[in-house]
Short mmCIF file of all heavy atoms in Angstrom, two decimals:
data_model
loop_
_atom_site.label_atom_id
_atom_site.label_comp_id
_atom_site.label_asym_id
_atom_site.label_seq_id
_atom_site.Cartn_x
_atom_site.Cartn_y
_atom_site.Cartn_z
N MET A 1 123.92 80.94 69.29
CA MET A 1 124.57 82.23 69.60
C MET A 1 123.67 82.85 70.71
O MET A 1 122.52 82.90 70.60
CB MET A 1 124.61 83.17 68.39
CG MET A 1 125.31 84.40 68.71
SD MET A 1 125.58 85.27 67.11
CE MET A 1 125.25 86.90 67.55
N LYS A 2 124.29 83.27 71.84
CA LYS A 2 123.54 84.00 72.88
C LYS A 2 123.23 85.45 72.49
O LYS A 2 123.99 86.09 71.69
CB LYS A 2 124.43 84.17 74.16
CG LYS A 2 124.64 82.85 74.80
CD LYS A 2 125.36 83.08 76.13
CE LYS A 2 125.34 81.88 77.09
NZ LYS A 2 125.96 82.22 78.24
N GLU A 3 122.04 85.97 73.07
CA GLU A 3 121.64 87.39 72.94
C GLU A 3 122.62 88.12 73.69
O GLU A 3 123.13 87.69 74.84
CB GLU A 3 120.27 87.53 73.40
CG GLU A 3 119.23 86.89 72.47
CD GLU A 3 117.86 87.30 72.98
OE1 GLU A 3 117.66 88.33 73.42
OE2 GLU A 3 117.00 86.34 72.81
N PRO A 4 122.95 89.35 73.31
CA PRO A 4 124.01 90.18 74.06
C PRO A 4 123.58 90.52 75.39
O PRO A 4 124.29 90.66 76.31
CB PRO A 4 124.11 91.40 73.12
CG PRO A 4 123.54 91.12 71.82
CD PRO A 4 122.63 90.00 72.01
N LEU A 5 122.17 90.76 75.58
CA LEU A 5 121.76 91.17 76.86
C LEU A 5 121.55 90.06 77.84
O LEU A 5 121.27 90.30 79.10
CB LEU A 5 120.32 92.03 76.78
CG LEU A 5 120.57 93.39 76.09
CD1 LEU A 5 119.20 94.07 75.83
CD2 LEU A 5 121.63 94.33 76.69
N SER A 6 121.49 88.88 77.42
CA SER A 6 121.22 87.72 78.42
C SER A 6 122.29 87.52 79.46
O SER A 6 122.09 86.98 80.46
CB SER A 6 121.04 86.32 77.58
OG SER A 6 122.38 86.08 77.01
N GLU A 7 123.52 88.07 79.20
CA GLU A 7 124.63 88.09 80.16
C GLU A 7 124.29 88.93 81.30
O GLU A 7 124.75 88.75 82.47
CB GLU A 7 126.02 88.27 79.56
CG GLU A 7 126.37 87.36 78.48
CD GLU A 7 127.68 87.82 77.82
OE1 GLU A 7 128.29 88.71 78.25
OE2 GLU A 7 128.05 87.09 76.87
N TYR A 8 123.49 89.94 81.03
CA TYR A 8 123.21 91.00 82.14
C TYR A 8 121.88 90.68 82.90
O TYR A 8 121.56 91.44 83.86
CB TYR A 8 123.06 92.36 81.53
CG TYR A 8 124.37 92.95 80.89
CD1 TYR A 8 124.74 92.90 79.54
CD2 TYR A 8 125.39 93.26 81.76
CE1 TYR A 8 125.86 93.36 79.01
CE2 TYR A 8 126.62 93.84 81.28
CZ TYR A 8 126.76 93.81 79.88
OH TYR A 8 127.90 94.29 79.38
N LEU A 9 121.16 89.64 82.66
CA LEU A 9 119.95 89.26 83.21
C LEU A 9 120.12 89.08 84.72
O LEU A 9 119.30 89.60 85.50
CB LEU A 9 119.42 88.02 82.55
CG LEU A 9 118.02 87.65 83.19
CD1 LEU A 9 116.96 88.58 82.92
CD2 LEU A 9 117.49 86.28 82.54
N PRO A 10 121.17 88.37 85.16
CA PRO A 10 121.20 88.28 86.70
C PRO A 10 121.50 89.67 87.36
O PRO A 10 120.90 89.81 88.48
CB PRO A 10 122.44 87.34 86.82
CG PRO A 10 122.58 86.73 85.64
CD PRO A 10 122.09 87.49 84.54
N ILE A 11 122.14 90.46 86.80
CA ILE A 11 122.47 91.83 87.33
C ILE A 11 121.08 92.56 87.35
O ILE A 11 120.80 93.31 88.33
CB ILE A 11 123.50 92.54 86.60
CG1 ILE A 11 124.85 91.89 86.59
CG2 ILE A 11 123.62 94.08 86.93
CD1 ILE A 11 125.88 92.38 85.73
N ILE A 12 120.32 92.54 86.31
CA ILE A 12 119.07 93.24 86.18
C ILE A 12 118.07 92.72 87.19
O ILE A 12 117.40 93.53 87.88
CB ILE A 12 118.48 93.16 84.80
CG1 ILE A 12 119.38 93.97 83.78
CG2 ILE A 12 117.03 93.73 84.74
CD1 ILE A 12 118.97 93.74 82.36
N VAL A 13 118.08 91.49 87.37
CA VAL A 13 117.18 90.85 88.41
C VAL A 13 117.52 91.34 89.88
O VAL A 13 116.67 91.62 90.60
CB VAL A 13 117.13 89.29 88.29
CG1 VAL A 13 116.48 88.64 89.49
CG2 VAL A 13 116.54 88.83 87.06
N PHE A 14 118.86 91.25 90.08
CA PHE A 14 119.43 91.74 91.29
C PHE A 14 119.05 93.18 91.62
O PHE A 14 118.62 93.49 92.71
CB PHE A 14 120.92 91.51 91.50
CG PHE A 14 121.56 92.03 92.70
CD1 PHE A 14 121.44 91.30 93.82
CD2 PHE A 14 122.26 93.30 92.76
CE1 PHE A 14 122.04 91.75 95.00
CE2 PHE A 14 122.72 93.68 93.85
CZ PHE A 14 122.69 92.91 95.04
N LEU A 15 119.21 94.10 90.57
CA LEU A 15 118.82 95.49 90.83
C LEU A 15 117.39 95.63 91.11
O LEU A 15 116.97 96.48 91.88
CB LEU A 15 119.16 96.31 89.57
CG LEU A 15 120.76 96.53 89.45
CD1 LEU A 15 121.07 97.28 88.18
CD2 LEU A 15 121.30 97.33 90.66
N VAL A 16 116.49 94.94 90.37
CA VAL A 16 115.04 95.14 90.62
C VAL A 16 114.65 94.61 92.05
O VAL A 16 113.93 95.31 92.61
CB VAL A 16 114.31 94.21 89.46
CG1 VAL A 16 112.83 94.13 89.89
CG2 VAL A 16 114.40 94.83 88.11
N VAL A 17 115.22 93.43 92.46
CA VAL A 17 115.01 93.02 93.85
C VAL A 17 115.48 94.04 94.83
O VAL A 17 114.76 94.34 95.90
CB VAL A 17 115.60 91.65 94.03
CG1 VAL A 17 115.46 91.22 95.47
CG2 VAL A 17 114.94 90.55 93.17
N ALA A 18 116.63 94.53 94.61
CA ALA A 18 117.27 95.62 95.57
C ALA A 18 116.34 96.76 95.59
O ALA A 18 116.12 97.45 96.78
CB ALA A 18 118.62 95.88 95.24
N ILE A 19 115.88 97.23 94.49
CA ILE A 19 115.01 98.49 94.53
C ILE A 19 113.64 98.15 95.26
O ILE A 19 113.11 99.03 95.97
CB ILE A 19 114.79 99.01 92.99
CG1 ILE A 19 116.00 99.54 92.53
CG2 ILE A 19 113.62 99.98 93.01
CD1 ILE A 19 116.01 99.84 91.03
N VAL A 20 113.03 97.09 94.89
CA VAL A 20 111.73 96.71 95.64
C VAL A 20 111.99 96.55 97.16
O VAL A 20 111.20 97.20 97.96
CB VAL A 20 111.18 95.39 94.96
CG1 VAL A 20 110.07 94.86 95.86
CG2 VAL A 20 110.75 95.58 93.67
N LEU A 21 113.03 95.95 97.62
CA LEU A 21 113.19 95.75 98.96
C LEU A 21 113.54 97.06 99.60
O LEU A 21 113.17 97.28 100.73
CB LEU A 21 114.33 94.71 99.21
CG LEU A 21 114.08 93.31 99.00
CD1 LEU A 21 115.28 92.28 99.20
CD2 LEU A 21 112.89 92.88 99.88
N GLY A 22 114.32 98.01 98.98
CA GLY A 22 114.54 99.18 99.58
C GLY A 22 113.26 100.04 99.65
O GLY A 22 113.08 100.79 100.68
N PHE A 23 112.37 100.10 98.66
CA PHE A 23 111.15 100.81 98.66
C PHE A 23 110.19 100.31 99.80
O PHE A 23 109.75 100.98 100.70
CB PHE A 23 110.45 100.63 97.43
CG PHE A 23 109.16 101.48 97.41
CD1 PHE A 23 109.14 102.84 97.34
CD2 PHE A 23 107.85 100.67 97.40
CE1 PHE A 23 107.97 103.60 97.34
CE2 PHE A 23 106.77 101.53 97.27
CZ PHE A 23 106.73 102.92 97.29
N VAL A 24 110.13 98.86 100.01
CA VAL A 24 109.31 98.34 101.18
C VAL A 24 109.88 98.68 102.47
O VAL A 24 109.12 99.09 103.47
CB VAL A 24 109.26 96.75 100.90
CG1 VAL A 24 108.73 96.15 102.15
CG2 VAL A 24 108.55 96.43 99.69
N SER A 25 111.31 98.72 102.63
CA SER A 25 111.90 99.04 103.91
C SER A 25 111.76 100.50 104.22
O SER A 25 111.46 100.93 105.29
CB SER A 25 113.40 98.68 103.97
OG SER A 25 114.11 99.37 102.86
N ILE A 26 111.69 101.40 103.26
CA ILE A 26 111.51 102.83 103.50
C ILE A 26 110.10 103.14 103.85
O ILE A 26 109.84 103.80 104.76
CB ILE A 26 111.88 103.72 102.17
CG1 ILE A 26 113.38 103.63 102.03
CG2 ILE A 26 111.29 105.05 102.28
CD1 ILE A 26 113.74 104.31 100.80
N LEU A 27 109.18 102.39 103.29
CA LEU A 27 107.77 102.43 103.67
C LEU A 27 107.60 102.01 105.21
O LEU A 27 106.80 102.55 105.94
CB LEU A 27 106.89 101.71 102.85
CG LEU A 27 106.62 102.36 101.39
CD1 LEU A 27 105.68 101.29 100.59
CD2 LEU A 27 105.88 103.64 101.61
N PHE A 28 108.30 100.97 105.57
CA PHE A 28 108.16 100.36 106.88
C PHE A 28 108.68 101.37 107.89
O PHE A 28 108.05 101.67 108.87
CB PHE A 28 108.97 99.12 106.97
CG PHE A 28 109.03 98.59 108.44
CD1 PHE A 28 108.02 97.96 109.06
CD2 PHE A 28 110.26 98.76 109.15
CE1 PHE A 28 108.09 97.60 110.38
CE2 PHE A 28 110.31 98.32 110.41
CZ PHE A 28 109.28 97.74 111.00
N ILE A 29 109.85 102.12 107.57
CA ILE A 29 110.46 103.01 108.48
C ILE A 29 109.50 104.24 108.64
O ILE A 29 109.14 104.68 109.75
CB ILE A 29 111.78 103.52 108.06
CG1 ILE A 29 112.83 102.26 108.16
CG2 ILE A 29 112.24 104.71 108.79
CD1 ILE A 29 114.14 102.56 107.66
N PHE A 30 108.86 104.65 107.47
CA PHE A 30 108.05 105.71 107.60
C PHE A 30 106.72 105.53 108.41
O PHE A 30 106.36 106.19 109.27
CB PHE A 30 107.46 106.13 106.23
CG PHE A 30 106.55 107.21 105.94
CD1 PHE A 30 106.91 108.53 106.27
CD2 PHE A 30 105.19 106.97 105.62
CE1 PHE A 30 106.03 109.51 106.18
CE2 PHE A 30 104.36 108.04 105.63
CZ PHE A 30 104.66 109.25 105.88
N VAL A 31 106.17 104.32 108.28
CA VAL A 31 104.95 103.92 109.13
C VAL A 31 105.38 103.72 110.49
O VAL A 31 104.64 104.14 111.46
CB VAL A 31 104.25 102.71 108.49
CG1 VAL A 31 103.23 102.18 109.43
CG2 VAL A 31 103.76 103.05 107.13
N ASP A 32 106.48 103.16 110.71
CA ASP A 32 107.04 102.93 112.17
C ASP A 32 107.27 104.11 112.82
O ASP A 32 106.95 104.30 113.99
CB ASP A 32 108.23 102.05 112.10
CG ASP A 32 108.61 101.44 113.31
OD1 ASP A 32 107.69 100.97 114.07
OD2 ASP A 32 109.87 101.52 113.72
N LEU A 33 107.71 105.19 112.24
CA LEU A 33 108.08 106.42 112.86
C LEU A 33 106.61 107.11 113.36
O LEU A 33 106.57 107.66 114.35
CB LEU A 33 108.81 107.42 111.95
CG LEU A 33 110.27 107.20 111.89
CD1 LEU A 33 110.95 108.01 110.95
CD2 LEU A 33 110.86 107.40 113.38
N LYS A 34 105.74 107.01 112.49
CA LYS A 34 104.34 107.61 112.76
C LYS A 34 103.74 106.85 114.03
O LYS A 34 103.24 107.55 114.89
CB LYS A 34 103.39 107.46 111.59
CG LYS A 34 103.69 108.44 110.58
CD LYS A 34 102.46 108.75 109.86
CE LYS A 34 102.65 109.85 108.78
NZ LYS A 34 102.10 111.14 108.94
N ILE A 35 103.83 105.54 114.05
CA ILE A 35 103.35 104.76 115.24
C ILE A 35 104.22 105.01 116.51
O ILE A 35 103.58 105.19 117.59
CB ILE A 35 103.39 103.33 114.89
CG1 ILE A 35 102.43 103.00 113.67
CG2 ILE A 35 103.00 102.56 116.20
CD1 ILE A 35 101.01 103.31 113.91
N ALA A 36 105.47 105.28 116.37
CA ALA A 36 106.29 105.58 117.46
C ALA A 36 105.91 106.96 118.14
O ALA A 36 106.09 107.19 119.30
CB ALA A 36 107.84 105.64 117.07
N PHE A 37 105.48 107.94 117.31
CA PHE A 37 105.08 109.14 117.90
C PHE A 37 103.72 109.14 118.50
O PHE A 37 103.43 110.07 119.32
CB PHE A 37 104.98 110.28 116.78
CG PHE A 37 106.43 110.78 116.30
CD1 PHE A 37 106.80 110.67 114.97
CD2 PHE A 37 107.29 111.17 117.30
CE1 PHE A 37 108.01 111.20 114.59
CE2 PHE A 37 108.62 111.67 116.83
CZ PHE A 37 108.93 111.57 115.55
N LEU A 38 102.92 108.00 118.32
CA LEU A 38 101.69 107.98 118.95
C LEU A 38 101.78 107.56 120.47
O LEU A 38 101.02 107.84 121.27
CB LEU A 38 100.73 106.91 118.24
CG LEU A 38 100.24 107.48 116.88
CD1 LEU A 38 99.45 106.27 116.35
CD2 LEU A 38 99.37 108.66 117.10
N PHE A 39 102.81 106.78 120.88
CA PHE A 39 102.85 106.26 122.18
C PHE A 39 103.10 107.47 123.28
O PHE A 39 102.44 107.39 124.23
CB PHE A 39 104.00 105.16 122.20
CG PHE A 39 103.65 103.95 121.62
CD1 PHE A 39 104.42 103.51 120.52
CD2 PHE A 39 102.61 103.13 122.00
CE1 PHE A 39 104.14 102.27 119.95
CE2 PHE A 39 102.23 101.99 121.37
CZ PHE A 39 102.99 101.51 120.40
N PRO A 40 104.02 108.27 123.01
CA PRO A 40 104.07 109.37 124.15
C PRO A 40 102.82 110.19 124.11
O PRO A 40 102.41 110.62 125.31
CB PRO A 40 105.27 110.15 123.63
CG PRO A 40 106.00 109.33 122.63
CD PRO A 40 105.03 108.41 122.10
N ARG A 41 102.20 110.42 123.11
CA ARG A 41 100.95 111.20 123.10
C ARG A 41 99.83 110.54 123.80
O ARG A 41 99.03 111.07 124.43
CB ARG A 41 100.54 111.55 121.71
CG ARG A 41 101.39 112.64 121.05
CD ARG A 41 100.84 113.13 119.71
NE ARG A 41 101.63 114.18 119.17
CZ ARG A 41 102.50 114.15 118.22
NH1 ARG A 41 102.89 112.95 117.90
NH2 ARG A 41 103.31 115.15 117.83
N ALA A 42 99.84 109.27 123.79
CA ALA A 42 98.78 108.43 124.42
C ALA A 42 98.98 108.47 125.80
O ALA A 42 98.03 108.49 126.61
CB ALA A 42 98.88 106.97 123.92
N VAL A 43 100.17 108.63 126.36
CA VAL A 43 100.45 108.76 127.81
C VAL A 43 100.15 110.15 128.31
O VAL A 43 99.59 110.37 129.41
CB VAL A 43 101.88 108.33 128.14
CG1 VAL A 43 102.29 108.51 129.59
CG2 VAL A 43 102.08 106.90 127.76
N ALA A 44 100.50 111.18 127.50
CA ALA A 44 100.43 112.63 127.94
C ALA A 44 99.07 113.22 127.76
O ALA A 44 98.73 114.03 128.50
CB ALA A 44 101.50 113.49 127.06
N PHE A 45 98.38 112.74 126.79
CA PHE A 45 97.00 113.38 126.57
C PHE A 45 95.86 112.62 127.01
O PHE A 45 96.06 111.39 127.28
CB PHE A 45 96.92 113.81 125.01
CG PHE A 45 97.93 114.67 124.48
CD1 PHE A 45 98.72 114.43 123.34
CD2 PHE A 45 98.24 115.79 125.13
CE1 PHE A 45 99.61 115.39 122.94
CE2 PHE A 45 99.18 116.83 124.73
CZ PHE A 45 99.87 116.40 123.55
N SER A 46 94.76 113.16 127.06
CA SER A 46 93.51 112.55 127.40
C SER A 46 93.09 111.48 126.21
O SER A 46 93.55 111.69 125.12
CB SER A 46 92.45 113.46 127.70
OG SER A 46 92.01 114.12 126.62
N GLU A 47 92.20 110.58 126.54
CA GLU A 47 91.73 109.85 125.52
C GLU A 47 90.97 110.55 124.35
O GLU A 47 91.01 110.21 123.16
CB GLU A 47 90.82 108.84 125.95
CG GLU A 47 91.36 107.78 126.97
CD GLU A 47 90.39 106.71 127.46
OE1 GLU A 47 89.34 106.60 126.76
OE2 GLU A 47 90.71 106.17 128.39
N MET A 48 90.33 111.57 124.67
CA MET A 48 89.51 112.30 123.67
C MET A 48 90.57 112.97 122.57
O MET A 48 90.27 112.96 121.43
CB MET A 48 88.66 113.44 124.31
CG MET A 48 87.78 114.16 123.32
SD MET A 48 86.69 113.05 122.53
CE MET A 48 85.81 114.09 121.48
N SER A 49 91.66 113.64 123.11
CA SER A 49 92.55 114.19 122.18
C SER A 49 93.27 113.32 121.30
O SER A 49 93.71 113.51 120.21
CB SER A 49 93.63 115.21 122.93
OG SER A 49 94.31 114.28 123.87
N MET A 50 93.40 111.94 121.94
CA MET A 50 94.08 111.01 121.18
C MET A 50 93.15 110.54 120.01
O MET A 50 93.56 110.31 118.85
CB MET A 50 94.47 109.70 121.95
CG MET A 50 95.68 109.81 122.66
SD MET A 50 97.10 110.11 121.49
CE MET A 50 97.19 108.79 120.59
N MET A 51 91.82 110.46 120.27
CA MET A 51 90.82 110.18 119.23
C MET A 51 90.89 111.16 118.18
O MET A 51 90.76 110.82 116.94
CB MET A 51 89.44 109.94 119.85
CG MET A 51 89.42 108.69 120.74
SD MET A 51 89.89 107.20 120.05
CE MET A 51 88.58 106.92 118.90
N VAL A 52 90.96 112.44 118.45
CA VAL A 52 90.89 113.48 117.60
C VAL A 52 92.25 113.35 116.60
O VAL A 52 92.16 113.43 115.42
CB VAL A 52 90.97 114.92 118.18
CG1 VAL A 52 91.23 115.93 117.24
CG2 VAL A 52 89.62 115.11 118.89
N LEU A 53 93.42 113.18 117.28
CA LEU A 53 94.64 112.98 116.57
C LEU A 53 94.54 111.80 115.65
O LEU A 53 94.95 111.89 114.42
CB LEU A 53 95.82 112.69 117.46
CG LEU A 53 97.20 112.53 116.94
CD1 LEU A 53 97.68 113.77 116.12
CD2 LEU A 53 98.25 112.07 117.84
N LEU A 54 94.02 110.62 116.08
CA LEU A 54 93.91 109.55 115.22
C LEU A 54 93.01 109.71 113.99
O LEU A 54 93.16 109.33 112.95
CB LEU A 54 93.46 108.30 116.09
CG LEU A 54 94.57 107.65 116.89
CD1 LEU A 54 93.95 106.55 117.80
CD2 LEU A 54 95.80 107.14 116.10
N ALA A 55 91.86 110.45 114.36
CA ALA A 55 90.91 110.83 113.27
C ALA A 55 91.61 111.68 112.26
O ALA A 55 91.40 111.42 110.99
CB ALA A 55 89.73 111.49 113.80
N ILE A 56 92.42 112.63 112.62
CA ILE A 56 93.21 113.44 111.61
C ILE A 56 94.13 112.75 110.90
O ILE A 56 94.22 112.81 109.59
CB ILE A 56 93.94 114.68 112.47
CG1 ILE A 56 92.82 115.71 112.99
CG2 ILE A 56 94.82 115.34 111.55
CD1 ILE A 56 93.44 116.68 113.98
N LEU A 57 94.85 111.74 111.45
CA LEU A 57 95.73 110.89 110.76
C LEU A 57 95.07 109.98 109.83
O LEU A 57 95.51 109.65 108.70
CB LEU A 57 96.65 109.96 111.74
CG LEU A 57 97.62 110.86 112.51
CD1 LEU A 57 98.41 109.95 113.57
CD2 LEU A 57 98.73 111.50 111.61
N THR A 58 93.86 109.55 110.16
CA THR A 58 93.10 108.62 109.26
C THR A 58 92.56 109.41 108.10
O THR A 58 92.66 108.95 106.98
CB THR A 58 91.89 108.00 110.13
OG1 THR A 58 92.49 107.30 111.23
CG2 THR A 58 91.15 107.09 109.25
N VAL A 59 92.09 110.58 108.26
CA VAL A 59 91.50 111.48 107.20
C VAL A 59 92.81 111.72 106.30
O VAL A 59 92.57 111.65 104.99
CB VAL A 59 90.94 112.76 107.66
CG1 VAL A 59 90.61 113.62 106.52
CG2 VAL A 59 89.60 112.41 108.36
N GLY A 60 94.01 112.10 106.81
CA GLY A 60 95.10 112.39 105.94
C GLY A 60 95.57 111.14 105.18
O GLY A 60 95.93 111.28 104.12
N PHE A 61 95.47 110.07 105.87
CA PHE A 61 95.94 108.71 105.06
C PHE A 61 94.90 108.47 103.97
O PHE A 61 95.36 108.14 102.94
CB PHE A 61 95.88 107.54 106.17
CG PHE A 61 96.23 106.21 105.47
CD1 PHE A 61 97.57 106.00 105.11
CD2 PHE A 61 95.20 105.31 105.36
CE1 PHE A 61 97.80 104.79 104.43
CE2 PHE A 61 95.45 104.16 104.79
CZ PHE A 61 96.80 103.86 104.37
N ALA A 62 93.64 108.65 104.15
CA ALA A 62 92.60 108.33 103.25
C ALA A 62 92.79 109.36 102.07
O ALA A 62 92.65 108.94 100.82
CB ALA A 62 91.28 108.61 103.71
N TYR A 63 93.06 110.61 102.39
CA TYR A 63 93.38 111.63 101.36
C TYR A 63 94.53 111.25 100.45
O TYR A 63 94.42 111.30 99.29
CB TYR A 63 93.47 112.95 102.04
CG TYR A 63 93.91 114.05 101.02
CD1 TYR A 63 92.91 114.61 100.15
CD2 TYR A 63 95.22 114.60 100.92
CE1 TYR A 63 93.28 115.59 99.28
CE2 TYR A 63 95.54 115.50 100.00
CZ TYR A 63 94.51 116.11 99.18
OH TYR A 63 94.89 117.02 98.35
N GLU A 64 95.66 110.94 101.09
CA GLU A 64 96.82 110.53 100.33
C GLU A 64 96.54 109.29 99.51
O GLU A 64 97.03 109.19 98.36
CB GLU A 64 97.99 110.33 101.28
CG GLU A 64 98.70 111.54 101.77
CD GLU A 64 99.37 112.25 100.57
OE1 GLU A 64 99.97 111.60 99.63
OE2 GLU A 64 99.09 113.48 100.58
N TRP A 65 95.75 108.35 100.03
CA TRP A 65 95.50 107.15 99.33
C TRP A 65 94.56 107.47 98.09
O TRP A 65 94.99 106.88 97.06
CB TRP A 65 94.76 106.11 100.23
CG TRP A 65 94.73 104.69 99.73
CD1 TRP A 65 94.93 104.30 98.56
CD2 TRP A 65 94.22 103.51 100.44
NE1 TRP A 65 94.76 102.90 98.38
CE2 TRP A 65 94.26 102.42 99.56
CE3 TRP A 65 93.81 103.32 101.65
CZ2 TRP A 65 93.90 101.22 99.96
CZ3 TRP A 65 93.44 102.14 101.99
CH2 TRP A 65 93.46 101.04 101.21
N LYS A 66 93.74 108.33 98.23
CA LYS A 66 92.87 108.64 97.19
C LYS A 66 93.71 109.42 96.03
O LYS A 66 93.44 109.20 94.80
CB LYS A 66 91.69 109.67 97.61
CG LYS A 66 90.80 110.02 96.56
CD LYS A 66 89.70 110.89 97.14
CE LYS A 66 88.76 111.29 95.90
NZ LYS A 66 87.78 112.30 96.35
N LYS A 67 94.66 110.28 96.47
CA LYS A 67 95.43 110.97 95.51
C LYS A 67 96.49 110.20 94.88
O LYS A 67 97.15 110.56 93.86
CB LYS A 67 96.19 112.11 96.15
CG LYS A 67 95.42 113.27 96.75
CD LYS A 67 94.77 113.95 95.43
CE LYS A 67 95.26 115.27 95.48
NZ LYS A 67 94.86 116.14 94.45
N GLY A 68 96.69 108.94 95.30
CA GLY A 68 97.73 107.92 94.64
C GLY A 68 98.96 107.97 95.52
O GLY A 68 100.00 107.43 94.93
N GLY A 69 99.03 108.43 96.66
CA GLY A 69 100.35 108.47 97.47
C GLY A 69 101.42 109.14 96.88
O GLY A 69 101.11 110.17 96.18
N PRO A 70 102.64 108.59 97.00
CA PRO A 70 103.82 109.26 96.48
C PRO A 70 103.80 109.45 95.02
O PRO A 70 104.46 110.25 94.31
CB PRO A 70 104.98 108.54 97.03
CG PRO A 70 104.52 107.52 98.07
CD PRO A 70 102.95 107.50 97.80
N GLU A 71 103.10 108.43 94.25
CA GLU A 71 103.08 108.41 92.88
C GLU A 71 101.92 109.41 92.21
O GLU A 71 101.96 109.58 91.15
CB GLU A 71 102.85 107.12 92.26
CG GLU A 71 103.80 106.11 92.62
CD GLU A 71 103.58 105.42 94.00
OE1 GLU A 71 102.43 105.36 94.38
OE2 GLU A 71 104.64 105.01 94.64
N GLY A 72 101.14 109.93 93.10
CA GLY A 72 100.01 110.87 92.61
C GLY A 72 100.64 112.23 92.05
O GLY A 72 101.74 112.57 92.23
N GLU A 73 99.70 112.98 91.55
CA GLU A 73 100.07 114.27 91.00
C GLU A 73 99.91 115.34 91.95
O GLU A 73 99.08 115.44 92.79
CB GLU A 73 99.29 114.50 89.80
CG GLU A 73 99.42 113.57 88.63
CD GLU A 73 98.41 113.84 87.53
OE1 GLU A 73 98.04 114.94 87.38
OE2 GLU A 73 98.35 112.88 86.66
#
């Protein structure tokens, strides 16, 4: 006799894979947008202001990483 939930296993696996891929793709778009905003600034501003901007972004990234990112409190 089969377990009642064993029939739903393929659907559960599909949903888990879809959620994981959706999360990785949203993270990719988020990081890609931040990088896309750096290119016009690199052309418009001097090298020193770009270094300051990159330093601010790096400090912000480190702070978010320390706090646990989106899952943090």
Side-chain angles (χ1 to χ4, degrees):
M1 185 168 141
K2 287 186 167 182
E3 292 184 33
L5 294 179
S6 67
E7 296 177 8
Y8 294 106
L9 184 62
I11 296 171
I12 293 171
V13 170
F14 178 77
L15 285 175
V16 168
V17 170
I19 290 170
V20 168
L21 288 177
F23 183 71
V24 171
S25 62
I26 288 173
L27 284 178
F28 172 76
I29 290 171
F30 179 70
V31 172
D32 191 43
L33 280 175
K34 286 209 177 243
I35 298 300
F37 285 126
L38 288 178
F39 289 117
R41 286 189 174 96
V43 173
F45 298 131
S46 68
E47 288 182 24
M48 186 60 180
S49 64
M50 276 305 297
M51 293 303 290
V52 170
L53 177 66
L54 288 175
I56 291 171
L57 287 175
T58 303
V59 169
F61 178 72
Y63 174 76
E64 279 296 319
W65 193 349
K66 182 180 177 187
K67 289 292 243 180
E71 297 86 30
E73 294 179 19

